[in-house]
Each structure stands twice: as C-alpha cells, then as structure tokens.
Amino acid sequence: MEIPQALYSALLSADEEYLIALCNKGTVNRAKKDLSAAQPEITHIEGQTVTLTVGDTVCTITAPLGSSTCTCPSSSMCRHRMSAILWMKEQVAQESAPPGETAVPSGGEPPREVAEEVSALLSAYPTQVLTRQLGQRRVSALVQRERSGEGAAIREGSTVTVELPWISATVRFICPLEHSSCTCHSRNFCTHKAEALLIWKLRHGVVTVDSLLAALHNDNGSILDRREICAAVQTALTDWMRTGLTRLPSSSMETAERLAGLCHTSALPDLERAIRRLHGELQSYFARSAAFRAEGLLHRMSAVWRLASALRTASEPEALRLAGTFRDEYQPIGNLHLYLLGLQGVNLAGGYAGTVYYFWETQRHRYYAYRDLRPKFYEGGRQPGSTETILWELPGTLRQARNCRLDLTGARVSGEGNLSATTQCRGTLLQKSPPGLVLPPSAVEEDFSPLLPRSRPGLGELDRLAILRPHWGELQEYDRVEQRFTLRLLDGTGRDVWLTVRYREGKQTVMEALEQLAGQWEKAPDLRPVFFGVLYREGGRLCLYPIECFTNWEGTP
Amino acid sequence: MNHCLNAMEARLTDLLQTGLDTGGTDAGAAFARLAEECEACGLHTGSVLMNRLAGLLEARAHVLEKEDAPLLDALFTAEHYIALCRERWQELEILEGWQEQQMWTQDREEGDSL
C-alpha cells in the first residue's frame, strides 16, 4: 500500500523529540513497548489519511501527525496513535533506505527545514495577542526575570522546548503550533505557552524589552464579546472535565482567575462571582484543605457552566439581566418608619467584619437592614467596628437606638433591602417601645408551618428572618464534639424549630444568655420568650440562628 | 430516593475525579444502571438524565472528534437536578418529622384524657 506523500514527509521528518512534544515521553515509551507485543495493521488508505487497527482501537493517521484520531476515549494523543505513528515511521524509514542497507531510526540532527519552519511560526505569532493574554503584571514580571538573567531555559531542534522553572512548566512548540504541548495538559494556547513564546521572541530579538513595554503601555485592550468569554469559560471547564481532578494542574487556578478578570472587564459580574467561588474551591483542593469536597467543586462548576451557557444564547436584554450588577445600587424609597429590632456582630469569611442592624418597617410590614461592615485587611490590629459612625443625623449611634422607633426621610434602599448611609437621608429618633407594641401579632409566628417555605436555601438573609413565639422549649445536651448549643423550640401542635449556636470566639456571652433563659423557662413555663433570628435548613431539621431573644415582648424592653 | 440521589452524585463526582478521557467508558455503563434505579425510585427525570448521560458517554467512545459540550450540558443539568431534589427531600423530611411529632402529641393527649 502506498502512503500519501504529505503523511510520508511528516513521518520522515518527525524525530523522537517531535513525537514527545505531541504527547509526552511516557506515552512514547509505552507505545514502543506496545509495538513489541502487537503490530498495527493498515485497513485502508483514503486521500491523505491511513486507517490502522491497533489492538482493539482504530486509528486514523494523517498529516500533521497531531491531527490523527483514535476510537479510544482519550481526546489527546494516546498510546494507540503513537504506536501507529511509530510503526508507520519504521515502514517509511525502511522504504526510504538505500537497497541493501537497514533503516536507521531518525535521530541526531533534525532536518533543518523543520527547525526553520517552527522558528518562522513562532516569529509570526502576533505579540499583541500574547501581551493581552498575559496582562501587564505577568509581562512586567517576565521582563524583570529576563533582565536579571533568571529566565527560562530554551532548547531548539525539531521542537522548541521552553522550561519555565518558576511555575514548574515545560512548553514544547512544534509545527503546527496548535499541536504544541504543555505540562499543564491544556490543549488550548495556555498562559504558559504565551509566556514561553514571548520569552523566545525576546531572546531571538523579534521584540525588544523597550518595544514590549511601550506597546503594553499604549494598548488599552479590547473588551471581549460576551459570547467569546462564555465560550472561553466553557472551553476551560470542558478541559478540566476531560482531564479529571486527579490530574488537574495547579495552573487551573490561574486560568480561573484570568477568566474572572475577563468577566470583570466585560461587565459580567454574576459570572465573575461564580468563577471566583469556583476559584476558591480549587484553592481549597490544591491546598489539600480538609474542608474540600469534590461535590462542592462539581456544584460550583455546574453553576458556572449553566450561567455561561445561558449568557451565550441570551438576547441582549436577557443577557443584561443575567449579567447582574457589580454593586447593588441604592434607590430612593421616600420615608420609612422603622423600629430597630435587633443587631448582631458579624465576621465574614470574605474579609469584612462589623455590625448588622435589623429594622422592622411599621407600614410596609417588612424587614430592612443596615450593614456597618469594614474590611479587616486594611486595619491591622485594630478591631473593626470599634468606632461607630452616627448616621442620618441621629442624636446618637444606632446601637443606642435599640428598641426605638425612628423615622427616615429621603431614605435609599438596595434591591435586597439594605439601607444606605447616604447623607441625603435624615432620621428622627422617636421613643423607646416594647417590640410587642410596635410589631403586629401577625409578624410573630406561633404556628411554625409557614416557616418552611421561608427557609429555602436560595433566599436572601432578610427573606429568611423570622420572629418565633414557641409554645415550649427543650434544652438539648451540649454537643461537645461539634461545640454546639441547641434548644428545641416547639409550637402548640409539636412542630419544631432547632435554635442552634456553635461556639466561636465572641459567641460565649450569647450561649450563656441562652442557657440562662432555658433555665428560667424551665422554672416558669408561662414565660413564653420570643426569638428573632434567621431560618435555615440543616439535615432534616428546620433551624434558627438567633439574633435577639425577648423575655418580655409586650413589656418594657 | 435519598439513596438514589447519593448514588447519582457519587457517580458524577467520580467522573469529575477521573475525567472523561479516563473514566468515561466505565461511567457510561454505571449511569445506565442508575437510570433503572431512578425509575424504580420514582425519579423519572433522573432516569431520563442518566440515560442521556449513558448514551452520550457510550457515543463518545466511538467517535474520533470528541464534541463534549452536549455531554457537559447533560452532566451539569444532572447535578442541578440532584441539588433541587435534595432541597425537596429535605423539606419532606422536615414535614414528615412534624407529622410524626403531631401524631405522638395527639396520642399522648388521648392517653392522658383516658
């Protein structure tokens, strides 16, 4: 059978280095071992492709060799394809050897034209694409490393191998460039490939450091199309799913960060948030955190995929809604008649801490909140929230207005119900009142059945706020393993809500107060305390995280 | 039902761990078995999704050019379906607990009155 000319040339010019660049050294060695056990068999030749059977699989070998395919599940260059290529290469070498001489495997000096072709391809690759992909920070770091002489190691032959020791990655460029490989397993033009190519260009004088920095300074970038970004996000997820978590390179964190950055510049805040959460899960995985769960990562990936998919196919107005907003904008709402029902100190994982104040609006019959949160990362040793600002021209701090009525004129509220601290809003502090006289009886739940739909996981915090007046309470034994205080609250028909507080720094006083209350309640069953808190579900239980507890709801607070 | 949801989730997580290239073929057969289990548990949509995944994974093994977007669509739809089912299951568990408690309270009250 006659092998097509293009494939013939490709096989002749491919040395071992080229074959390793197509996959990796391990696969090439494995293919050689497989060849000693079973020989491939050519089934047919059509156009520029040769079809062979290799064991149980069928391989289609074509030029360029990287475009060959196989029926095995692998989507990258597999051992079957490599066996077929090696075997065909052997046949071609025997055919091309002069009569009477045995074929010698190609080695030593690679054909000059192959090396020149790779160099020409690398030189022609647009520098601007590389600088945009890497971003200013990485390009500057690269230039710095090149200047200090701690740069990459480059080897050139039929392939151009660039070792990037600072990120433990090795990039092998071959002709055509799309078949080049990287130790991060990415089949796309990953950031390592971009970095390696830029280094090669600098070393070969294709670009100079000064021209590179000047171009970077003048390049204002281009905002990528929404569909392009969503496609890039989905391609990255497809790559990760193909590779699998066990072989996922740590550079996937960088990929996630880069994609989140792209979403930010292209005004896709919800997708950015979803990718940042995914990035957090990946960080947890690579840090070998005990809290990491593969189910959690799958859930984050699913959220990103579904949102990217919806954004990709959405019409412009729909895409605008799906994109979300960077910051919740405060809208004027007019006058509000508020009652400060409770407050709690919070210390968020996102790096913010402070106090959240919960208000009841006496006319709209709904909750509002004011969140006095400050970043912890700028404050050093200072306790966040230690200095409370006076809002809305009130005569004192909000903490002092606890259980007081206050009227706001010119108030501004976000979509979620958070109040703005705007100076355009004026507040009038009214008298202190017992909550039972301000809040209508309908706001207090004595029957727990309507609480279940209000505890759905997707709901916001203000939608899950509830005031409970249980019929009876049963103090549970303190969970020493989980360090958890639990009080079972029951309504008149036996429906239960579990009030739970986990021991944490700053929560000791809350737990002591609740223990004291449970003791009082046991002695005086007619006490009927009222609990204000946030509903949530845990296992098969409906739970309440307490914010305030009132033992004299209708009386003096 | 909960057992079925756990099995589906475990299989999807396994696939994430091994990757489509390595674990895809074995996972196809497992998803087909899970489809039958789902149907027996009354999770009809779950069964359809598992069958779809099994079909796509089986087809993937026999094509030269792997086009994985429909497979990932099905995979993440299945994950979302499991999350929604769990939410519903949790709600049912709470309601069931409340009903048991109500019956127990009623029995006790009747016992007291006798």
Side-chain angles (χ1 to χ4, degrees):
Chain A
M1 282 195 209
E2 198 161 309
I3 292 170
Q5 190 53 45
L7 180 58
Y8 189 91
S9 314
L11 287 165
L12 267 184
S13 60
D15 58 1
E16 180 146 338
E17 205 183 328
Y18 184 90
L19 297 179
I20 290 171
L22 274 176
C23 46
N24 55 61
K25 199 168 186 171
T27 308
V28 174
N29 288 339
R30 175 66 199 263
K32 282 180 185 168
K33 201 175 164 192
D34 285 356
L35 264 185
S36 60
Q39 296 281 300
E41 204 176 303
I42 295 178
T43 50
H44 73 276
I45 299 174
E46 194 183 326
Q48 292 299 311
T49 62
V50 175
T51 308
L52 307 94
T53 52
V54 182
D56 297 336
T57 62
V58 178
C59 297
T60 308
I61 307 301
T62 187
L65 297 177
S67 300
S68 305
T69 53
C70 176
T71 53
C72 81
S74 174
S75 48
S76 56
M77 179 59 73
C78 59
R79 63 192 168 95
H80 311 110
R81 268 172 272 186
M82 196 43 71
S83 290
I85 290 168
L86 283 169
W87 180 78
M88 283 179 72
K89 196 171 154 48
E90 217 174 278
Q91 309 305 311
V92 166
Q94 272 172 8
E95 262 182 46
S96 61
E101 281 183 33
T102 50
V104 183
S106 61
E109 283 296 304
R112 207 174 142 188
E113 57 271 24
V114 177
E116 279 172 3
E117 207 177 343
V118 182
S119 297
L121 280 172
L122 294 178
S123 302
Y125 200 92
T127 309
Q128 199 182 40
V129 174
L130 299 174
T131 52
R132 279 186 182 168
Q133 187 177 350
L134 291 171
Q136 194 164 7
R137 191 170 56 89
R138 287 183 82 146
V139 173
S140 305
L142 182 149
V143 167
Q144 196 66 33
R145 265 193 296 268
E146 283 301 296
R147 276 179 174 159
S148 65
E150 295 166 0
I154 300 180
R155 287 194 311 276
E156 292 186 56
S158 61
T159 68
V160 172
T161 307
V162 185
E163 283 176 28
L164 312 169
W166 58 94
I167 39 175
S168 307
T170 304
V171 177
R172 291 186 177 92
F173 291 114
I174 54 171
C175 175
L177 278 186
E178 57 266 30
H179 293 147
S180 304
S181 62
C182 175
T183 44
C184 79
H185 302 297
S186 173
R187 278 175 284 273
N188 301 323
F189 203 83
C190 61
T191 47
H192 308 129
K193 285 178 191 164
E195 205 162 337
L197 181 42
L198 202 55
I199 292 167
W200 184 90
K201 280 187 169 221
L202 278 169
R203 297 269 178 94
H204 285 76
V206 181
V207 286
T208 60
V209 168
D210 294 336
S211 71
L212 192 65
L213 290 176
L216 201 64
H217 188 71
N218 296 331
D219 186 12
N220 296 322
S222 67
I223 294 173
L224 284 172
D225 174 43
R226 153 172 60 95
R227 288 186 181 86
E228 282 177 306
I229 291 173
C230 292
V233 168
Q234 289 189 309
T235 307
L237 290 185
T238 309
D239 264 358
W240 298 349
M241 242 359 257
R242 279 176 177 168
T243 308
L245 193 56
T246 45
R247 292 199 302 146
L248 202 66
S250 56
S251 60
S252 46
M253 285 191 288
E254 282 173 44
T255 309
E257 208 174 339
R258 190 172 54 83
L259 289 170
L262 280 174
C263 291
H264 184 85
T265 49
S266 299
L268 298 170
D270 276 1
L271 189 58
E272 184 197 345
R273 279 183 208 110
I275 296 174
R276 292 211 185 278
R277 283 185 208 115
L278 174 58
H279 177 253
E281 269 317 312
L282 286 171
Q283 269 183 324
S284 168
Y285 170 69
F286 287 109
R288 296 172 189 271
S289 159
F292 173 79
R293 296 281 174 277
E295 294 84 0
L297 179 65
L298 188 71
H299 180 70
R300 300 283 187 218
M301 284 175 80
S302 167
V304 170
W305 178 274
R306 284 181 289 112
L307 184 56
S309 203
L311 276 165
R312 210 172 163 182
T313 52
S315 60
E316 280 306 320
E318 178 64 6
L320 208 62
R321 188 188 65 78
L322 287 170
T325 50
F326 281 113
R327 266 186 63 187
D328 221 356
E329 284 182 14
Y330 292 98
Q331 301 294 340
I333 196 169
N335 299 343
L336 290 176
H337 305 281
L338 301 172
Y339 176 76
L340 182 51
L341 188 59
L343 56 101
Q344 69 165 336
V346 289
N347 193 348
L348 304 176
Y352 285 82
T355 312
V356 183
Y357 300 86
Y358 298 92
F359 299 92
W360 173 261
E361 214 286 334
T362 56
Q363 290 185 349
R364 289 179 175 84
H365 284 209
R366 60 161 291 183
Y367 296 102
Y368 287 99
Y370 173 71
R371 293 170 197 278
D372 184 14
L373 302 177
R374 288 139 205 255
K376 288 184 286 185
F377 33 86
Y378 298 129
E379 307 244 339
R382 226 174 88 196
Q383 282 296 311
S386 56
T387 51
E388 288 182 18
T389 47
I390 294 175
L391 297 169
W392 310 314
E393 296 189 357
L394 289 172
T397 62
L398 271 185
R399 195 178 286 274
Q400 291 165 330
R402 197 178 194 157
N403 296 124
C404 286
R405 285 168 181 264
L406 60 136
D407 285 352
L408 296 185
T409 48
R412 282 177 176 261
V413 177
S414 74
E416 289 174 356
N418 294 319
L419 292 161
S420 161
T422 175
T423 50
Q424 291 158 357
C425 174
R426 299 278 181 276
T428 313
L429 188 67
L430 303 170
Q431 78 277 19
K432 204 168 189 139
S433 317
L437 298 184
V438 179
L439 278 91
S442 61
V444 184
E445 306 289 352
E446 294 198 22
D447 170 10
F448 294 167
S449 56
L451 299 178
L452 193 53
R454 284 167 57 189
S455 63
R456 268 193 23 240
L459 292 175
E461 191 201 27
L462 293 185
D463 295 321
R464 289 185 289 118
L465 287 176
I467 304 168
L468 271 63
R469 186 165 223 173
H471 183 75
W472 180 238
E474 286 173 6
L475 180 65
Q476 308 294 304
E477 199 174 330
Y478 181 74
D479 186 340
R480 287 182 188 281
V481 180
E482 298 259 345
Q483 292 198 298
R484 204 150 56 162
F485 167 90
T486 311
L487 181 63
R488 187 184 179 204
L489 309 175
L490 294 118
D491 71 0
T493 52
R495 292 187 192 94
D496 52 6
V497 171
W498 299 75
L499 184 145
T500 311
V501 183
R502 197 165 286 188
Y503 180 81
R504 272 204 313 256
E505 197 185 348
K507 293 287 169 198
Q508 200 174 352
T509 47
V510 178
M511 286 166 81
E512 280 170 5
L514 284 167
E515 272 170 348
Q516 206 179 347
L517 169 77
Q520 274 180 20
W521 199 1
E522 206 170 5
K523 284 178 198 157
D526 295 332
L527 188 67
R528 301 294 306 275
V530 174
F531 298 91
F532 169 56
V534 189
L535 293 166
Y536 64 99
R537 294 173 190 175
E538 196 177 74
R541 288 176 176 181
L542 178 60
C543 303
L544 181 87
Y545 182 79
I547 296 169
E548 291 285 346
C549 171
F550 305 89
T551 46
N552 195 0
W553 182 249
E554 285 90 3
T556 317
Chain B
M1 188 168 100
N2 210 19
H3 153 76
C4 219
L5 292 175
N6 286 343
M8 281 197 279
E9 191 177 56
R11 187 46 68 186
L12 288 176
T13 315
D14 281 354
L15 196 54
L16 169 68
Q17 293 275 10
T18 56
L20 296 172
D21 287 352
T22 310
T25 322
D26 292 343
F31 282 125
R33 279 195 300 277
L34 271 173
E36 287 170 24
E37 273 184 51
C38 284
E39 200 64 69
C41 290
L43 296 171
H44 178 68
T45 310
S47 169
V48 171
L49 282 167
M50 292 298 110
N51 265 329
R52 185 148 174 251
L53 271 174
L56 285 166
L57 283 166
E58 173 65 18
R60 187 183 193 271
H62 301 290
V63 288
L64 298 173
E65 299 290 336
K66 320 280 185 209
E67 176 44 67
D68 289 329
L71 176 59
L72 263 75
D73 258 333
L75 200 142
F76 291 129
T77 309
E79 188 283 333
H80 189 50
Y81 169 77
I82 294 167
L84 292 175
C85 281
R86 279 205 193 288
E87 199 182 306
R88 181 79 188 118
W89 179 252
Q90 205 172 36
E91 212 167 279
L92 290 174
E93 266 189 327
I94 295 170
L95 284 171
E96 213 171 287
W98 282 358
Q99 270 170 5
E100 275 175 26
Q101 182 65 34
Q102 271 176 300
M103 277 161 67
W104 183 81
T105 315
Q106 269 175 4
D107 287 350
R108 205 179 58 172
E109 280 170 5
E110 279 168 21
D112 286 349
S113 64
L114 286 173

